[in-house]
Amino acid sequence: MFELIVTDMDGTFLNSQGNFNREKFQQLLIKLKNRGIRLAFCTGKQNERVDAIVGDLAKDLFIIGDSASRIKINGMSIYTKTFSNQLGFEVIETIKAIDENLVIIVCTDGMAYAEKHISEKEREMVLGSYEKVTFVEDLNTIDQDMLKVTIFDSQGQCFKHVKSLSKYEDTLYIVAAEENWIDITHKDVDKGKTIRFLQNLLNISSEQTIVFGDGLNDIPLFENARYKVAMDNAYPELKSKANLISINNDRDGVIETLNTLLINDNNS
């Protein structure tokens, strides 16, 4: 049976409205605590945004945020991986050359930055994933190293845009999680590598790990777990790597699947 649960958030744990069933989750956490099973959220969202969404239920849970470039537990940082802001500025210049209408979000340790000129709808989208945000005239004024650069394309052309960023593949990790989003992080950061760090810290193996996901950026996560659960709403490429398909995120798929697995384990 598993000792570590790792779940993506958007499209996986959270429903289409960005919420979750708090009562069901609280009951699940009691069962997990009684069995000594640890749980981690692994998401593109800012760690502080996850804290705001999950609230007091986040106690003793690992939050792997900012596209796996940070890990926090109970407000304490235990892992951070950045790249130089100079390299980030080069990437931003390249992104603007691809399409000047792309929304660019730059994350440093504890702060996200976006440009002031973006639309009100785009601002709401940014604030849905980032709790601490500063809107600036020029992203090149950021004076800290970067956790990640994220691209949002309302036109859904990110699989094409990734190819235009290929010159950075030797120095950065670049992934189109889905057609609207691209995440760019340190070369040594993806969900799988960060999960390995947590597994080593907890002395829990991949054989004792269960993961849940829906996007293409969850593929590295699947490569580091014995139990791989894709949501019914997941990309076909991820489903093909799963050994279990869950009901979708709008039906509390993660919670319901874990409850079923725990019941079956009790009866075995």
Side-chain angles (χ1 to χ4, degrees):
M1 195 58 172
F2 49 84
E3 294 185 20
L4 173 64
I5 301 162
V6 184
T7 179
D8 174 51
M9 293 199 78
D10 292 309
T12 303
F13 180 76
L14 299 177
N15 60 29
S16 299
Q17 287 72 49
N19 299 317
F20 66 99
N21 189 311
R22 295 186 66 85
E23 183 179 352
K24 283 186 180 181
F25 186 53
Q26 188 168 25
Q27 292 169 354
L28 173 64
L29 289 178
I30 293 170
K31 297 175 188 176
L32 297 180
K33 184 175 182 180
N34 289 339
R35 291 171 176 243
I37 299 172
R38 308 304 301 267
L39 188 144
F41 290 114
C42 190
T43 176
K45 291 184 181 298
Q46 190 180 48
N47 291 57
E48 290 79 7
R49 183 61 187 149
V50 180
D51 277 327
I53 293 170
V54 182
D56 58 351
L57 297 183
K59 185 177 184 296
D60 297 333
L61 305 184
F62 292 97
I63 299 175
I64 306 167
D66 291 300
S67 299
S69 60
R70 283 203 294 168
I71 305 177
K72 295 181 75 174
I73 181 169
N74 298 330
M76 180 179 66
S77 177
I78 61 173
Y79 175 90
T80 305
K81 183 77 81 170
T82 61
F83 57 92
S84 75
N85 61 352
Q86 289 301 316
L87 178 56
F89 296 152
E90 291 179 33
V91 172
I92 291 167
E93 184 178 358
T94 302
I95 295 168
K96 288 182 175 293
I98 294 170
D99 183 347
E100 62 182 12
N101 294 314
L102 295 173
V103 177
I104 304 171
I105 305 163
V106 176
C107 296
T108 62
D109 195 355
M111 185 60 66
Y113 298 86
E115 293 171 307
K116 284 184 177 180
H117 67 74
I118 64 175
S119 69
E120 189 61 33
K121 185 177 180 180
E122 289 167 338
R123 278 180 175 246
E124 290 176 7
M125 177 272 301
V126 172
L127 293 170
S129 289
Y130 303 91
E131 188 72 10
K132 296 185 177 181
V133 183
T134 301
F135 292 96
V136 295
E137 294 287 352
D138 185 358
L139 293 171
N140 287 324
T141 59
I142 297 170
D143 60 1
Q144 293 176 276
D145 286 342
M146 300 177 183
L147 290 167
K148 71 166 182 171
V149 174
T150 287
I151 301 167
F152 173 74
D153 181 9
S154 61
Q155 303 302 309
Q157 298 297 307
C158 283
F159 294 131
K160 182 180 75 173
H161 298 329
V162 159
K163 298 174 184 176
S164 301
L165 295 166
S166 60
K167 65 180 178 179
Y168 297 106
E169 286 179 348
D170 290 337
T171 52
L172 294 166
Y173 176 69
I174 303 170
V175 60
E178 52 186 271
E179 61 189 9
N180 297 108
W181 294 95
I182 295 173
D183 289 324
I184 303 168
T185 55
H186 188 285
K187 180 65 176 177
D188 294 332
V189 169
D190 62 41
K191 288 189 175 185
K193 290 174 181 173
T194 305
I195 287 307
R196 285 204 300 273
F197 172 88
L198 182 60
Q199 287 168 333
N200 290 334
L201 182 70
L202 298 174
N203 195 28
I204 294 174
S205 71
S206 60
E207 290 290 305
Q208 299 164 308
T209 303
I210 184 170
V211 298
F212 294 80
D214 73 300
L216 300 183
N217 60 335
D218 294 316
I219 290 175
L221 195 60
F222 274 35
E223 292 170 349
N224 288 276
R226 176 181 179 184
Y227 308 100
K228 318 169 208 297
V229 185
M231 312 308 290
D232 187 48
N233 51 285
Y235 275 86
E237 295 93 328
L238 190 72
K239 284 185 175 181
S240 70
K241 298 180 182 298
N243 42 35
L244 181 64
I245 306 297
S246 167
I247 57 175
N248 68 50
N249 61 316
D250 284 324
R251 296 173 60 196
D252 305 322
V254 172
I255 297 172
E256 295 294 347
T257 299
L258 288 169
N259 279 330
T260 299
L261 292 173
L262 291 171
I263 290 170
N264 289 340
D265 186 55
N266 273 339
N267 295 334
S268 63

